[in-house]
């Protein structure tokens, strides 16, 4: 039996996984990346993140860029030729240093099993306060841009300090298959650090469709977080990189819990050695195609990426057994898994082979000064994941387009009705059993 919905795709910021991985039974296609536009922001903007979404509903993805030092959110609308204007198409004012941002659907949810609405709303977090902004996209006509802010929420627990390096993420965390809000909360000078979030309550009408603050307190101060299904397909876990203990802390979200329950307060956590010294980024994905989620960590000391392949058939699904470890050196200290503080992205192509040959020598992409964060998104609407890198040092966002070969997909037939889409497929293949 096929799962009701199976996605052959990595959704995390693992550039060396998500852009090139394909079924190991097939030949691995070549990976081609090209330099796209560079978005120049005003001097002193201090750019640390970028969101990609079709904000004006014209079929072309746009860019939403927080300008922390200017207290503004800049919107760059993509034109019909695939370019972006030299100056922002619109700017919205938000106090206290808007810093991290994600697109998702805040509205339009139906009963469980209904299609997920288009992710054209925004969640924006400020670094110099505990404020979290929800921006409803009220535009309906093609070309119409209209973002309306709801009353603010807060980062972290009550009485907490502003986060040091907040990062917003989104994934289905409470069992209803709809994306929820999660974020890294790591203020300095306090033990109250970890992961927070808000569940989207699809049965409630806005603005009452957001659950109260949910919080998990980490045993050590994390510097990075990602989300992955470590134990059970469809049930996300949080992976927190802990440089002081050289560990990755894996936290369960409770899977099918009620959205009003604290996903992160169950206390169930596992610690895994990162495989190096001072891990600053961690993520999980099935790298070698054996059905088990593997662990990846990038390290600051002796810069490298360590891949730990998990036992595909443990006696217990909650056993974290990593019998195989593969290490790839990096050309500088990492900011994320393969985003380096020196202004490079190293893209490792998955070859589908075994051992150290699992990945090719990296493709090197030059970014701007002091790259702060990398997001994966389909920027030019061609069905392939591209890269967007926000650079705080020179106030730029660098875009890199995935120009890899298109792969054909044929319809499959069994006793059930199987639909495969998109067709042709590029880097994402959906298989639905009906």
């Amino acid at each position: 039996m096929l799962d009701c919905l199976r996605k052959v795709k990595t959704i995390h910021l693992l550039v060396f996984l998500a852009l090139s991985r394909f079924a190991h039974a097939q030949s691995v296609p070549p990976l081609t990346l090209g330099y796209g536009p560079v978005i120049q922001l005003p001097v002193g903007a201090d750019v640390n993140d970028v969101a990609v979404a079709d904000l004006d509903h014209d079929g072309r993805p746009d860019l939403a860029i927080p300008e922390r030092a200017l207290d503004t959110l800049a919107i760059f609308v993509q034109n019909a030729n695939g370019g972006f204007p030299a100056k922002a198409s619109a700017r919205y004012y938000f106090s206290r240093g808007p810093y991290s941002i994600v697109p998702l659907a805040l509205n339009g949810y139906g009963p469980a099993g209904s299609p997920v609405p288009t992710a054209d709303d925004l969640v924006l977090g400020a670094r110099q306060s505990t404020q979290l902004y929800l921006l409803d996209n009220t535009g309906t006509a093609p070309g119409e841009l209209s973002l309306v802010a709801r009353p603010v929420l807060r980062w972290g627990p009550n009485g907490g300090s502003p986060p040091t390096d907040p990062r917003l993420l989104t994934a289905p965390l409470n069992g209803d298959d709809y994306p929820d809000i999660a974020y890294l909360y790591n203020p300095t000078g306090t033990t109250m650090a970890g992961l927070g979030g808000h569940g989207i309550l699809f049965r409630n009408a806005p603005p009452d469709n957001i659950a109260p603050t949910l919080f998990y307190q980490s045993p050590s101060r994390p510097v990075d977080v990602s989300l992955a299904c470590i134990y059970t397909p469809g049930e996300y876990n949080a992976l927190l990189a802990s440089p002081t203990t050289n560990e990755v802390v894996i936290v369960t979200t409770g899977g099918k819990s009620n959205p009003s329950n604290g996903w992160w307060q169950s206390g169930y956590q596992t610690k895994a050695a990162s495989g190096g010294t001072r891990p600053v980024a961690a993520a999980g994905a099935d790298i070698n195609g054996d059905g088990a989620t593997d662990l990846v960590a990038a390290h600051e000391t002796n810069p490298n990426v360590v891949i730990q392949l998990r036992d595909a058939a443990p006696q217990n699904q909650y056993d974290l057994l990593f019998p195989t470890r593969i290490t790839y050196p990096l050309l500088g200290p990492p900011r994320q898994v393969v985003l380096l503080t020196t202004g490079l992205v190293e893209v490792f192509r998955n070859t589908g082979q075994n051992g150290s040959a699992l990945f090719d020598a990296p493709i090197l992409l030059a970014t701007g000064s002091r790259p702060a964060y990398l997001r994966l998104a389909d920027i030019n609407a061609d069905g392939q994941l591209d890269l967007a890198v926000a650079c705080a040092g020179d106030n730029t966002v660098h875009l890199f387009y995935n120009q890899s070969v298109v792969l054909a997909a044929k319809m499959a037939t069994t006793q059930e009705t199987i639909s495969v889409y998109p067709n042709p497929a590029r880097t994402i293949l959906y298989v639905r059993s009906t």
Side-chain angles (χ1 to χ4, degrees):
M1 276 288 286
L2 287 171
D3 295 335
C4 180
L5 177 62
R6 180 179 301 161
K7 290 194 286 186
V8 184
K9 175 191 170 215
T10 298
I11 63 171
H12 312 287
L13 297 181
L14 295 175
V15 178
F16 65 135
L17 303 177
L19 288 176
S20 62
R21 182 176 176 270
F22 197 71
H24 283 242
Q26 303 183 34
S27 60
V28 178
L31 176 63
T32 304
L33 297 169
Y35 285 85
V38 176
I39 311 299
Q40 180 66 60
L41 286 303
V43 174
D46 193 9
V47 178
N48 289 273
D49 204 356
V50 57
V52 180
D54 183 9
L55 299 174
D56 65 347
H57 308 114
D58 63 356
R60 295 183 291 270
D62 309 305
L63 305 178
I65 307 172
E67 299 172 318
R68 187 183 73 86
L70 304 179
D71 286 340
T72 52
L73 173 66
I75 306 297
F76 287 80
V77 174
Q78 187 170 178
N79 60 40
N81 296 322
F84 294 90
K87 295 184 178 180
S89 307
R91 276 193 167 87
Y92 296 83
Y93 175 80
F94 297 97
S95 64
R96 310 293 292 172
Y99 189 84
S100 186
I101 189 169
V102 290
L104 79 164
L106 294 172
N107 309 289
Y109 290 92
S114 301
V116 177
T118 302
D120 59 2
D121 304 306
L122 297 171
V123 178
L124 175 66
R127 181 180 179 182
Q128 295 161 286
S129 76
T130 56
Q131 290 182 333
L132 192 66
Y133 303 98
L134 304 181
L135 310 180
D136 290 313
N137 192 338
T138 62
T140 56
E144 181 180 356
L145 177 64
S146 180
L147 300 176
V148 178
R150 298 187 188 185
V152 297
L153 298 175
R154 61 173 296 113
W155 300 101
N158 291 329
S161 304
T164 301
D165 188 15
R167 287 299 167 193
L168 282 160
L169 300 172
T170 176
L173 299 172
N174 56 20
D176 61 10
D177 298 326
Y178 297 148
D180 304 297
I181 303 166
Y183 52 80
L184 178 69
Y185 178 78
N186 60 349
T188 56
T190 176
T191 59
M192 188 61 73
L195 199 80
H198 295 270
I200 295 179
L201 312 178
F202 66 87
R203 292 186 178 90
N204 293 11
D208 298 322
N209 65 334
I210 304 296
T213 301
L214 310 171
F215 189 71
Y216 159 77
Q217 184 174 350
S218 174
S220 57
R221 182 175 176 273
V223 298
D224 181 68
V225 63
S226 66
L227 302 173
C229 301
I230 299 294
Y231 304 114
T232 305
E235 295 186 7
Y236 280 83
N237 307 98
L239 283 69
L240 301 169
S242 173
T244 57
T245 61
N246 297 325
E247 293 173 323
V248 176
V249 180
I250 303 170
V251 185
T252 183
T253 66
K256 304 299 181 181
S257 64
N258 185 291
S260 62
N261 295 337
W263 321 313
W264 316 105
Q265 294 174 348
S266 66
Y268 187 84
Q269 62 184 29
T270 312
K271 298 178 182 179
S274 68
T277 307
R278 288 193 59 80
V280 294
D286 180 8
I287 296 174
N288 58 352
D290 63 355
T293 302
D294 308 305
L295 189 65
V296 180
H299 299 88
E300 187 176 60
T301 304
N302 298 322
N304 61 40
V305 170
V306 176
I307 299 172
Q308 300 185 71
L309 301 179
R310 186 181 175 190
D311 183 358
Q315 292 184 354
N316 186 301
Q317 67 169 333
Y318 295 106
D319 288 342
L320 287 177
L321 304 177
F322 301 104
T324 303
R325 180 179 294 176
I326 308 173
T327 301
Y328 295 90
L330 295 173
L331 297 178
R335 178 68 175 88
Q336 283 173 270
V337 173
V338 290
L339 175 63
L340 310 185
T341 60
T342 55
L344 285 177
V345 178
E346 295 192 54
V347 182
F348 291 77
R349 171 182 170 271
N350 193 319
T351 66
Q353 301 181 40
N354 297 321
S356 59
L358 184 61
F359 291 101
D360 276 339
I363 299 172
L364 303 181
L365 302 172
T367 72
S369 173
R370 278 199 302 125
Y373 212 62
L374 180 153
R375 297 283 191 180
L376 291 179
D378 183 4
I379 301 171
N380 55 358
D382 66 351
Q384 304 195 89
L385 290 176
D386 308 304
L387 288 69
V389 182
C391 301
D394 57 4
N395 303 296
T396 58
V397 173
H398 288 245
L399 307 180
F400 303 94
Y401 290 141
N402 188 347
Q403 301 167 339
S404 302
V405 176
V406 174
L407 298 175
K410 295 182 179 180
M411 296 295 298
T413 57
T414 65
Q415 293 178 348
E416 302 173 290
T417 301
I418 307 295
S419 60
V420 180
Y421 62 97
N423 190 2
R426 295 175 172 86
T427 58
I428 307 172
L429 175 65
Y430 295 87
V431 181
R432 185 187 297 273
S433 173
T434 56

